[in-house]
Coordinates of all heavy atoms in Angstrom, one line a residue:
M29 N 30.8 59.8 -2.8 CA 29.4 60.0 -3.2 C 28.5 59.2 -2.5 O 28.8 58.0 -2.2 CB 29.3 59.8 -4.8 CG 28.0 60.3 -5.3 SD 28.0 60.4 -7.2 CE 28.2 58.7 -7.6
I30 N 27.4 59.7 -2.0 CA 26.4 58.9 -1.2 C 25.2 58.8 -2.0 O 24.6 59.8 -2.6 CB 26.1 59.6 0.1 CG1 27.3 59.8 1.0 CG2 25.0 58.9 0.9 CD1 28.0 58.5 1.4
I31 N 24.6 57.5 -2.1 CA 23.4 57.2 -2.7 C 22.3 57.0 -1.7 O 22.5 56.1 -0.8 CB 23.5 56.0 -3.7 CG1 24.5 56.4 -4.9 CG2 22.1 55.6 -4.2 CD1 24.7 55.3 -5.8
N32 N 21.3 57.7 -1.6 CA 20.2 57.6 -0.6 C 19.3 56.5 -1.1 O 18.2 56.7 -1.7 CB 19.5 58.9 -0.4 CG 18.6 58.9 0.8 OD1 18.7 58.0 1.7 ND2 17.7 59.8 1.0
H33 N 19.6 55.3 -0.7 CA 18.8 54.1 -1.0 C 17.4 54.3 -0.5 O 17.1 54.6 0.6 CB 19.4 52.8 -0.5 CG 18.9 51.6 -1.0 ND1 17.7 51.2 -0.8 CD2 19.5 50.7 -1.9 CE1 17.4 50.0 -1.5 NE2 18.6 49.7 -2.1
P34 N 16.3 54.0 -1.4 CA 14.9 54.2 -0.9 C 14.5 53.3 0.3 O 13.7 53.7 1.1 CB 14.1 53.9 -2.2 CG 15.0 54.0 -3.3 CD 16.4 53.7 -2.8
L35 N 15.1 52.2 0.4 CA 14.8 51.3 1.5 C 15.8 51.2 2.6 O 15.4 51.0 3.8 CB 14.7 49.8 0.9 CG 13.7 49.6 -0.2 CD1 13.7 48.1 -0.7 CD2 12.2 49.9 0.3
L36 N 17.1 51.5 2.3 CA 18.1 51.3 3.4 C 18.7 52.6 3.8 O 19.6 52.6 4.7 CB 19.2 50.4 2.8 CG 18.7 49.0 2.3 CD1 19.8 48.3 1.6 CD2 18.1 48.2 3.4
G37 N 18.3 53.7 3.1 CA 18.9 55.0 3.6 C 20.3 55.3 2.9 O 20.7 54.6 1.9
P38 N 21.1 56.3 3.4 CA 22.3 56.7 2.7 C 23.3 55.6 2.7 O 23.6 55.0 3.8 CB 22.8 57.8 3.6 CG 21.6 58.3 4.4 CD 20.7 57.1 4.5
R39 N 23.9 55.3 1.6 CA 24.9 54.3 1.4 C 26.0 54.8 0.5 O 25.9 55.7 -0.4 CB 24.4 53.0 0.6 CG 23.1 52.5 1.1 CD 23.0 52.2 2.5 NE 23.4 50.9 2.8 CZ 23.4 50.4 4.1 NH1 23.1 51.2 5.1 NH2 23.7 49.2 4.4
D40 N 27.2 54.4 0.8 CA 28.5 54.9 0.1 C 28.4 54.2 -1.3 O 27.9 53.1 -1.5 CB 29.7 54.4 0.8 CG 30.9 55.1 0.1 OD1 31.5 54.4 -0.8 OD2 31.3 56.1 0.6
V41 N 28.8 55.0 -2.3 CA 28.8 54.6 -3.7 C 29.7 53.3 -3.9 O 29.4 52.5 -4.8 CB 29.3 55.7 -4.6 CG1 30.7 56.0 -4.5 CG2 28.9 55.4 -6.1
A42 N 30.6 53.0 -3.0 CA 31.4 51.8 -3.1 C 30.6 50.5 -3.0 O 31.1 49.5 -3.5 CB 32.5 51.8 -2.1
E43 N 29.4 50.6 -2.5 CA 28.6 49.4 -2.4 C 27.9 49.0 -3.7 O 27.2 48.0 -3.8 CB 27.5 49.7 -1.3 CG 28.0 49.8 0.1 CD 26.9 50.0 1.2 OE1 25.7 49.7 0.8 OE2 27.3 50.4 2.3
F44 N 28.0 50.0 -4.7 CA 27.2 49.9 -5.9 C 28.1 49.6 -7.1 O 29.3 49.9 -7.1 CB 26.4 51.1 -6.1 CG 25.3 51.4 -5.1 CD1 25.7 52.1 -3.9 CD2 24.0 51.0 -5.3 CE1 24.7 52.3 -3.0 CE2 23.1 51.3 -4.3 CZ 23.4 51.9 -3.2
I45 N 27.4 49.1 -8.2 CA 28.0 48.9 -9.5 C 27.2 49.8 -10.4 O 26.0 49.6 -10.5 CB 28.1 47.4 -10.0 CG1 29.0 46.6 -9.0 CG2 28.5 47.3 -11.4 CD1 29.0 45.2 -9.4
Y46 N 27.9 50.6 -11.2 CA 27.2 51.5 -12.1 C 27.1 50.7 -13.5 O 28.0 50.0 -14.0 CB 28.1 52.7 -12.4 CG 27.7 53.6 -13.5 CD1 26.7 54.4 -13.4 CD2 28.4 53.5 -14.8 CE1 26.3 55.3 -14.5 CE2 28.1 54.3 -15.8 CZ 27.0 55.2 -15.7 OH 26.6 56.0 -16.7
L47 N 25.8 50.7 -14.0 CA 25.6 50.0 -15.2 C 25.5 51.0 -16.4 O 26.0 50.7 -17.5 CB 24.3 49.2 -15.2 CG 24.0 48.4 -16.5 CD1 25.1 47.5 -16.8 CD2 22.6 47.8 -16.4
G48 N 25.0 52.2 -16.2 CA 24.9 53.1 -17.3 C 23.5 53.7 -17.4 O 22.7 53.8 -16.4
D49 N 23.2 54.2 -18.6 CA 21.9 54.9 -18.9 C 20.7 54.0 -18.5 O 20.6 52.8 -18.9 CB 21.9 55.3 -20.4 CG 20.8 56.2 -20.7 OD1 19.8 56.3 -20.0 OD2 21.0 57.0 -21.7
A50 N 19.7 54.6 -17.8 CA 18.6 53.9 -17.4 C 17.6 53.6 -18.6 O 16.6 52.8 -18.4 CB 17.8 54.7 -16.3
C51 N 18.0 54.0 -19.8 CA 17.1 53.6 -20.9 C 17.2 52.1 -21.1 O 16.4 51.5 -21.9 CB 17.7 54.3 -22.2 SG 19.2 53.8 -22.9
L52 N 18.1 51.4 -20.5 CA 18.2 50.0 -20.6 C 17.0 49.3 -20.0 O 16.8 48.1 -20.4 CB 19.5 49.5 -19.9 CG 20.9 49.9 -20.6 CD1 22.0 49.5 -19.7 CD2 20.9 49.3 -22.0
I53 N 16.2 49.9 -19.3 CA 15.0 49.3 -18.8 C 14.0 49.1 -19.9 O 13.3 48.1 -19.9 CB 14.3 50.3 -17.7 CG1 15.2 50.3 -16.4 CG2 12.9 49.9 -17.4 CD1 14.7 51.3 -15.4
D54 N 14.1 49.9 -20.9 CA 13.2 49.8 -22.1 C 13.7 48.9 -23.2 O 14.1 49.3 -24.3 CB 12.9 51.2 -22.7 CG 12.3 52.1 -21.7 OD1 11.4 51.7 -20.9 OD2 12.7 53.3 -21.6
R55 N 13.9 47.7 -22.8 CA 14.4 46.6 -23.7 C 13.5 46.5 -24.9 O 12.3 46.4 -24.8 CB 14.5 45.3 -23.0 CG 15.2 44.2 -23.8 CD 15.3 43.0 -22.9 NE 15.8 41.9 -23.7 CZ 17.1 41.4 -23.6 NH1 17.9 41.9 -22.8 NH2 17.5 40.4 -24.4
P56 N 14.0 46.4 -26.2 CA 13.2 46.3 -27.4 C 12.4 44.9 -27.4 O 12.8 43.9 -26.8 CB 14.2 46.3 -28.5 CG 15.3 47.0 -27.9 CD 15.4 46.6 -26.5
D57 N 11.4 44.9 -28.2 CA 10.6 43.6 -28.4 C 11.4 42.7 -29.3 O 11.6 43.1 -30.5 CB 9.2 44.0 -28.9 CG 8.4 42.8 -29.2 OD1 8.8 41.6 -28.9 OD2 7.3 42.9 -29.8
W58 N 11.8 41.6 -29.0 CA 12.6 40.7 -29.8 C 11.8 40.1 -31.0 O 12.3 39.6 -32.0 CB 13.3 39.6 -29.0 CG 12.3 38.6 -28.4 CD1 11.7 38.8 -27.2 CD2 11.8 37.4 -29.0 NE1 10.8 37.7 -27.0 CE2 10.9 36.9 -28.1 CE3 12.1 36.7 -30.1 CZ2 10.3 35.6 -28.3 CZ3 11.5 35.5 -30.4 CH2 10.6 34.9 -29.4
E59 N 10.5 40.2 -30.9 CA 9.6 39.7 -32.0 C 9.3 40.8 -33.0 O 8.6 40.4 -34.0 CB 8.4 39.0 -31.4 CG 8.6 37.9 -30.5 CD 7.4 37.3 -30.0 OE1 6.6 38.1 -29.4 OE2 7.2 36.0 -30.1
A60 N 9.6 42.0 -32.8 CA 9.3 43.1 -33.7 C 10.0 42.9 -35.0 O 11.0 42.2 -35.1 CB 9.6 44.4 -33.2
D61 N 9.4 43.4 -36.1 CA 10.0 43.3 -37.4 C 11.4 44.0 -37.5 O 12.2 43.6 -38.3 CB 9.0 44.0 -38.5 CG 7.8 43.1 -38.7 OD1 7.8 41.9 -38.4 OD2 6.8 43.7 -39.1
D62 N 11.6 45.1 -36.7 CA 12.8 45.8 -36.8 C 13.7 45.5 -35.5 O 14.5 46.2 -35.0 CB 12.6 47.2 -36.8 CG 11.9 47.8 -35.5 OD1 11.2 47.0 -34.8 OD2 11.9 49.0 -35.3
A63 N 13.6 44.2 -35.0 CA 14.3 43.8 -33.8 C 15.8 43.9 -33.9 O 16.4 44.4 -32.9 CB 13.9 42.4 -33.4
A64 N 16.3 43.6 -35.0 CA 17.8 43.6 -35.1 C 18.3 45.1 -35.0 O 19.2 45.3 -34.3 CB 18.3 43.0 -36.4
E65 N 17.7 45.9 -35.7 CA 18.0 47.4 -35.6 C 17.8 48.0 -34.3 O 18.6 48.7 -33.7 CB 17.2 48.2 -36.7 CG 17.5 49.7 -36.7 CD 16.7 50.5 -37.7 OE1 16.3 49.9 -38.7 OE2 16.7 51.7 -37.5
A66 N 16.6 47.6 -33.6 CA 16.3 48.1 -32.3 C 17.3 47.6 -31.3 O 17.7 48.4 -30.4 CB 14.9 47.7 -31.9
F67 N 17.7 46.4 -31.3 CA 18.7 45.8 -30.4 C 20.1 46.5 -30.6 O 20.9 46.6 -29.7 CB 18.8 44.3 -30.4 CG 17.8 43.7 -29.4 CD1 16.6 43.2 -29.9 CD2 18.1 43.6 -28.1 CE1 15.6 42.7 -29.0 CE2 17.2 43.1 -27.2 CZ 15.9 42.6 -27.7
H68 N 20.4 46.8 -31.9 CA 21.7 47.5 -32.1 C 21.7 48.8 -31.5 O 22.6 49.1 -30.8 CB 21.9 47.6 -33.7 CG 23.1 48.5 -34.0 ND1 24.4 48.0 -33.9 CD2 23.1 49.7 -34.4 CE1 25.2 49.0 -34.2 NE2 24.5 50.1 -34.5
E69 N 20.6 49.5 -31.6 CA 20.5 50.8 -31.0 C 20.5 50.8 -29.5 O 21.1 51.5 -28.8 CB 19.2 51.6 -31.5 CG 19.3 52.0 -32.9 CD 18.0 52.7 -33.4 OE1 17.2 53.0 -32.5 OE2 17.9 52.8 -34.6
Y70 N 19.8 49.8 -29.0 CA 19.7 49.5 -27.5 C 21.1 49.2 -26.9 O 21.4 49.7 -25.9 CB 18.8 48.3 -27.2 CG 18.6 47.8 -25.9 CD1 17.8 48.5 -24.9 CD2 19.3 46.7 -25.5 CE1 17.8 48.0 -23.7 CE2 19.2 46.1 -24.2 CZ 18.4 46.8 -23.3 OH 18.3 46.3 -22.0
G71 N 21.9 48.4 -27.6 CA 23.2 47.9 -27.1 C 24.3 48.9 -27.3 O 25.3 48.9 -26.5
Y72 N 24.3 49.7 -28.4 CA 25.4 50.5 -28.8 C 25.2 52.0 -28.9 O 26.2 52.7 -28.8 CB 25.9 50.0 -30.1 CG 26.4 48.6 -30.1 CD1 25.6 47.5 -30.6 CD2 27.6 48.1 -29.4 CE1 26.0 46.2 -30.6 CE2 28.0 46.8 -29.3 CZ 27.2 45.9 -30.0 OH 27.6 44.6 -29.9
L73 N 24.0 52.4 -29.0 CA 23.8 53.8 -29.3 C 23.2 54.5 -28.1 O 21.9 54.3 -27.8 CB 23.0 54.1 -30.6 CG 23.6 53.4 -31.8 CD1 22.6 53.7 -33.0 CD2 24.9 54.0 -32.1
R74 N 23.9 55.4 -27.3 CA 23.4 56.0 -26.2 C 23.9 57.5 -26.3 O 25.0 57.7 -26.7 CB 23.8 55.4 -24.9 CG 23.2 54.0 -24.8 CD 23.2 53.5 -23.4 NE 22.8 52.1 -23.4 CZ 23.6 51.1 -23.4 NH1 24.9 51.2 -23.4 NH2 23.2 49.9 -23.4
D75 N 23.1 58.4 -25.6 CA 23.5 59.7 -25.5 C 24.6 59.8 -24.4 O 24.5 59.2 -23.4 CB 22.3 60.6 -25.2 CG 21.4 60.8 -26.4 OD1 21.8 60.6 -27.5 OD2 20.2 60.9 -26.1
N76 N 25.5 60.7 -24.6 CA 26.5 61.0 -23.6 C 26.1 62.4 -23.0 O 26.7 63.4 -23.4 CB 28.0 61.0 -24.2 CG 29.0 61.2 -23.1 OD1 28.7 61.0 -22.0 ND2 30.2 61.5 -23.6
I77 N 25.3 62.4 -22.1 CA 24.6 63.6 -21.6 C 25.7 64.3 -20.6 O 26.2 63.7 -19.7 CB 23.3 63.3 -20.8 CG1 22.4 62.7 -21.9 CG2 22.8 64.5 -20.2 CD1 21.1 62.1 -21.2
A78 N 25.7 65.6 -20.7 CA 26.5 66.5 -19.8 C 25.4 67.2 -19.0 O 24.9 68.2 -19.4 CB 27.4 67.4 -20.5
G79 N 25.1 66.7 -17.8 CA 24.0 67.2 -17.0 C 23.2 66.2 -16.4 O 23.7 65.0 -16.3
P80 N 22.0 66.5 -16.0 CA 21.2 65.5 -15.3 C 20.8 64.3 -16.2 O 20.4 64.5 -17.3 CB 19.9 66.3 -14.9 CG 20.3 67.7 -15.0 CD 21.3 67.8 -16.0
M81 N 20.9 63.1 -15.7 CA 20.6 61.9 -16.4 C 20.2 60.8 -15.4 O 20.7 60.8 -14.3 CB 21.8 61.5 -17.4 CG 22.5 60.3 -17.1 SD 23.8 60.0 -18.3 CE 23.2 58.5 -19.0
Q82 N 19.4 59.9 -15.9 CA 18.9 58.8 -15.1 C 19.9 57.6 -15.5 O 20.1 57.3 -16.6 CB 17.5 58.4 -15.5 CG 16.5 59.3 -14.9 CD 15.0 58.8 -15.1 OE1 14.7 58.2 -16.1 NE2 14.3 58.9 -14.0
E83 N 20.4 57.0 -14.4 CA 21.4 55.9 -14.5 C 20.9 54.7 -13.7 O 20.2 54.8 -12.7 CB 22.7 56.3 -14.0 CG 23.3 57.6 -14.6 CD 24.5 58.2 -13.9 OE1 24.5 58.0 -12.6 OE2 25.3 58.8 -14.5
L84 N 21.4 53.5 -14.1 CA 21.1 52.3 -13.4 C 22.3 52.0 -12.5 O 23.5 52.0 -13.0 CB 20.9 51.1 -14.4 CG 19.6 51.0 -15.0 CD1 19.6 49.9 -16.1 CD2 18.5 50.7 -14.0
W85 N 22.0 51.7 -11.2 CA 23.0 51.3 -10.2 C 22.5 50.0 -9.6 O 21.3 49.9 -9.2 CB 23.2 52.4 -9.2 CG 23.9 53.6 -9.7 CD1 23.3 54.6 -10.5 CD2 25.3 54.0 -9.5 NE1 24.3 55.6 -10.8 CE2 25.5 55.2 -10.2 CE3 26.3 53.4 -8.8 CZ2 26.7 55.9 -10.2 CZ3 27.5 54.0 -8.8 CH2 27.7 55.2 -9.5
Y86 N 23.4 49.1 -9.3 CA 23.2 47.8 -8.7 C 23.7 47.8 -7.3 O 25.0 48.0 -7.2 CB 23.7 46.7 -9.6 CG 23.5 45.3 -9.0 CD1 22.2 44.8 -8.8 CD2 24.6 44.4 -8.7 CE1 22.0 43.5 -8.3 CE2 24.4 43.2 -8.1 CZ 23.2 42.8 -7.9 OH 23.0 41.5 -7.4
H87 N 23.0 47.5 -6.3 CA 23.5 47.5 -4.9 C 24.1 46.1 -4.6 O 23.6 45.3 -3.9 CB 22.4 47.8 -3.9 CG 22.8 48.2 -2.6 ND1 22.0 48.2 -1.5 CD2 24.1 48.5 -2.1 CE1 22.7 48.6 -0.4 NE2 23.9 48.8 -0.8
E88 N 25.3 45.9 -5.2 CA 26.0 44.6 -5.0 C 26.4 44.3 -3.5 O 26.2 43.2 -3.1 CB 27.3 44.5 -5.8 CG 27.9 43.3 -5.7 CD 29.2 43.3 -6.5 OE1 30.1 44.2 -6.3 OE2 29.5 42.3 -7.2
Q89 N 26.8 45.3 -2.9 CA 27.3 45.0 -1.4 C 26.2 45.2 -0.4 O 26.5 45.6 0.7 CB 28.5 46.0 -1.1 CG 29.7 45.8 -2.0 CD 30.3 44.4 -1.9 OE1 30.5 43.9 -0.9 NE2 30.6 43.9 -3.0
G90 N 25.0 45.1 -0.9 CA 23.8 45.3 0.1 C 22.7 44.3 -0.2 O 22.9 43.1 -0.3
D91 N 21.6 44.9 -0.6 CA 20.3 44.0 -0.8 C 20.2 43.6 -2.2 O 19.2 43.0 -2.6 CB 19.1 44.8 -0.3 CG 18.8 46.0 -1.2 OD1 19.6 46.4 -2.0 OD2 17.6 46.5 -1.1
R92 N 21.2 43.8 -3.1 CA 21.2 43.4 -4.5 C 20.0 44.0 -5.3 O 19.5 43.3 -6.2 CB 21.3 41.9 -4.6 CG 22.5 41.3 -3.8 CD 22.9 39.9 -4.3 NE 23.9 39.3 -3.7 CZ 25.2 39.6 -3.8 NH1 25.5 40.4 -4.8 NH2 26.1 38.9 -3.2
S93 N 19.6 45.2 -5.0 CA 18.5 45.8 -5.7 C 19.1 46.7 -6.8 O 20.3 47.1 -6.8 CB 17.7 46.7 -4.7 OG 18.5 47.7 -4.1
W94 N 18.3 46.9 -7.8 CA 18.6 47.8 -8.9 C 17.9 49.2 -8.6 O 16.8 49.2 -8.2 CB 18.1 47.3 -10.2 CG 18.9 46.2 -10.7 CD1 18.7 44.9 -10.5 CD2 20.1 46.3 -11.5 NE1 19.7 44.1 -11.1 CE2 20.5 45.0 -11.8 CE3 20.8 47.3 -12.0 CZ2 21.7 44.7 -12.5 CZ3 22.0 47.1 -12.8 CH2 22.4 45.8 -13.0
L95 N 18.7 50.3 -8.8 CA 18.2 51.6 -8.6 C 18.3 52.4 -9.8 O 19.2 52.2 -10.6 CB 18.9 52.3 -7.4 CG 19.0 51.6 -6.1 CD1 19.9 52.4 -5.2 CD2 17.6 51.4 -5.5
V96 N 17.4 53.4 -10.0 CA 17.5 54.4 -11.0 C 17.9 55.7 -10.3 O 17.1 56.2 -9.5 CB 16.2 54.6 -11.9 CG1 16.3 55.8 -12.8 CG2 15.9 53.3 -12.6
V97 N 19.1 56.1 -10.5 CA 19.6 57.3 -9.9 C 19.6 58.5 -10.9 O 20.2 58.3 -11.9 CB 21.0 57.0 -9.3 CG1 21.7 58.3 -8.7 CG2 21.0 55.8 -8.3
T98 N 19.0 59.6 -10.5 CA 19.1 60.8 -11.3 C 20.3 61.6 -10.8 O 20.3 62.0 -9.6 CB 17.8 61.6 -11.3 OG1 16.7 60.8 -11.7 CG2 17.9 62.8 -12.2
R99 N 21.4 61.7 -11.6 CA 22.6 62.3 -11.2 C 23.1 63.3 -12.3 O 23.0 63.0 -13.5 CB 23.7 61.2 -11.0 CG 25.0 61.7 -10.6 CD 26.0 60.5 -10.4 NE 26.4 60.0 -11.6 CZ 27.4 60.2 -12.4 NH1 28.2 61.2 -12.0 NH2 27.7 59.6 -13.5
D100 N 23.6 64.4 -11.9 CA 24.2 65.4 -12.8 C 25.6 64.9 -13.1 O 26.4 64.8 -12.2 CB 24.2 66.8 -12.1 CG 24.6 67.9 -13.1 OD1 25.7 67.7 -13.8 OD2 23.9 68.9 -13.2
T101 N 25.9 64.6 -14.4 CA 27.1 64.0 -14.7 C 28.3 65.1 -14.6 O 29.5 64.7 -14.6 CB 27.1 63.4 -16.1 OG1 26.8 64.5 -17.1 CG2 26.1 62.3 -16.2
L102 N 28.0 66.4 -14.5 CA 29.0 67.4 -14.4 C 29.4 67.6 -12.9 O 30.6 67.8 -12.6 CB 28.5 68.7 -15.0 CG 28.3 68.6 -16.5 CD1 27.6 70.0 -17.0 CD2 29.5 68.4 -17.3
T103 N 28.4 67.6 -12.1 CA 28.7 67.9 -10.6 C 28.6 66.7 -9.7 O 28.9 66.7 -8.6 CB 27.6 68.9 -10.1 OG1 26.3 68.4 -10.2 CG2 27.6 70.2 -11.0
H104 N 28.1 65.6 -10.2 CA 27.8 64.4 -9.5 C 26.7 64.5 -8.4 O 26.5 63.7 -7.5 CB 29.1 63.8 -8.8 CG 30.1 63.4 -9.9 ND1 30.0 62.5 -10.8 CD2 31.3 64.0 -10.1 CE1 31.1 62.3 -11.6 NE2 31.9 63.3 -11.2
E105 N 26.0 65.6 -8.5 CA 24.8 65.8 -7.5 C 23.7 64.8 -7.8 O 23.3 64.7 -9.0 CB 24.3 67.2 -7.6 CG 23.1 67.4 -6.7 CD 22.5 68.8 -6.9 OE1 22.8 69.5 -7.9 OE2 21.7 69.2 -6.1
I106 N 23.2 64.1 -6.8 CA 22.2 63.2 -7.0 C 20.9 63.9 -6.6 O 20.8 64.3 -5.4 CB 22.5 61.9 -6.2 CG1 23.6 61.1 -6.7 CG2 21.2 61.0 -6.2 CD1 24.1 60.0 -5.9
T107 N 19.9 63.9 -7.4 CA 18.6 64.6 -7.1 C 17.4 63.7 -6.9 O 16.5 64.1 -6.3 CB 18.2 65.6 -8.2 OG1 18.1 64.9 -9.5 CG2 19.3 66.7 -8.4
N108 N 17.6 62.4 -7.3 CA 16.5 61.5 -7.0 C 17.0 60.0 -7.2 O 18.0 59.7 -7.9 CB 15.4 61.6 -8.1 CG 14.1 60.9 -7.8 OD1 13.7 60.8 -6.6 ND2 13.4 60.4 -8.9
V109 N 16.5 59.1 -6.3 CA 16.8 57.7 -6.4 C 15.5 56.9 -6.2 O 14.7 57.2 -5.3 CB 17.7 57.3 -5.2 CG1 18.1 55.9 -5.2 CG2 18.9 58.2 -5.2
E110 N 15.2 56.0 -7.2 CA 14.1 55.2 -7.2 C 14.4 53.8 -7.3 O 15.5 53.4 -8.0 CB 13.2 55.6 -8.3 CG 12.7 57.1 -8.3 CD 12.0 57.5 -9.6 OE1 10.7 57.1 -9.7 OE2 12.6 57.9 -10.5
M111 N 13.5 52.8 -6.9 CA 13.8 51.4 -7.2 C 13.5 51.2 -8.7 O 12.5 51.7 -9.3 CB 12.8 50.6 -6.4 CG 12.9 50.8 -4.9 SD 14.5 50.2 -4.3 CE 14.5 48.5 -4.6
A112 N 14.4 50.5 -9.4 CA 14.3 50.3 -10.8 C 12.9 49.6 -11.1 O 12.3 49.9 -12.2 CB 15.5 49.5 -11.4
R113 N 12.5 48.7 -10.3 CA 11.3 48.0 -10.6 C 10.1 48.9 -10.6 O 9.1 48.7 -11.4 CB 11.0 46.9 -9.5 CG 10.7 47.4 -8.2 CD 10.3 46.4 -7.1 NE 10.0 47.0 -5.9 CZ 10.6 46.8 -4.7 NH1 11.6 45.8 -4.7 NH2 10.3 47.4 -3.7
D114 N 10.0 49.9 -9.8 CA 9.0 51.0 -9.8 C 9.1 51.8 -11.0 O 8.0 52.2 -11.6 CB 9.1 51.9 -8.5 CG 8.9 51.1 -7.2 OD1 8.3 50.0 -7.2 OD2 9.4 51.6 -6.2
V115 N 10.2 52.1 -11.5 CA 10.4 52.9 -12.7 C 9.8 52.0 -13.9 O 9.1 52.5 -14.8 CB 11.8 53.3 -13.0 CG1 12.0 54.0 -14.3 CG2 12.3 54.3 -11.8
A116 N 10.2 50.8 -14.0 CA 9.8 49.9 -15.0 C 8.3 49.7 -15.0 O 7.7 49.8 -16.1 CB 10.5 48.5 -14.9
R117 N 7.7 49.6 -13.9 CA 6.2 49.5 -13.8 C 5.6 50.7 -14.3 O 4.6 50.7 -15.0 CB 5.8 49.1 -12.4 CG 6.1 47.7 -12.0 CD 5.6 47.5 -10.6 NE 5.9 46.1 -10.2 CZ 6.4 45.7 -9.0 NH1 6.5 46.6 -8.1 NH2 6.7 44.4 -8.8
A118 N 6.1 51.9 -13.9 CA 5.6 53.2 -14.3 C 5.7 53.3 -15.8 O 4.8 54.0 -16.4 CB 6.2 54.3 -13.6
R119 N 6.6 52.8 -16.4 CA 6.8 52.9 -17.9 C 6.1 51.8 -18.6 O 6.1 51.7 -19.9 CB 8.3 52.8 -18.2 CG 9.2 53.9 -17.8 CD 10.6 53.7 -18.2 NE 11.4 54.8 -17.8 CZ 12.7 54.9 -17.9 NH1 13.3 53.9 -18.6 NH2 13.4 55.9 -17.5
G120 N 5.4 50.9 -17.8 CA 4.6 49.8 -18.5 C 5.4 48.6 -18.8 O 5.1 47.9 -19.7
R121 N 6.6 48.4 -18.2 CA 7.4 47.3 -18.5 C 7.5 46.2 -17.5 O 8.5 45.6 -17.3 CB 8.8 47.8 -18.8 CG 8.9 48.9 -19.8 CD 9.1 48.3 -21.1 NE 9.4 49.4 -22.2 CZ 8.5 49.7 -23.1 NH1 7.3 49.1 -23.2 NH2 8.9 50.6 -24.0
S122 N 6.5 46.1 -16.6 CA 6.6 45.1 -15.5 C 6.4 43.7 -16.0 O 5.5 43.4 -16.8 CB 5.5 45.4 -14.5 OG 4.2 45.3 -15.1
K123 N 7.4 42.9 -15.7 CA 7.3 41.4 -16.0 C 7.8 40.6 -14.9 O 8.7 40.9 -14.2 CB 8.1 41.2 -17.3 CG 7.4 41.7 -18.5 CD 8.2 41.3 -19.8 CE 7.4 41.9 -21.0 NZ 8.0 41.5 -22.3

């Protein structure tokens, strides 16, 4: 499988580490009243999607960047690759 890195171009998947669902970008507020429940859901409850899904990939054997890869889990077809920092900023989570 080839991941088309936004900065470096096409790279073999062997250069990356898969983390999982890109919902991990949306970390709960630890100061919220329901923080314990929110972190339980954040850490343990995720959808197992059969089809297109956004995933986090870490470019360990390259520039050490985090990417959000939109990949069909049935066919492994990659339809979009974005820098995770850009996705986080667009979601209002820049820190």
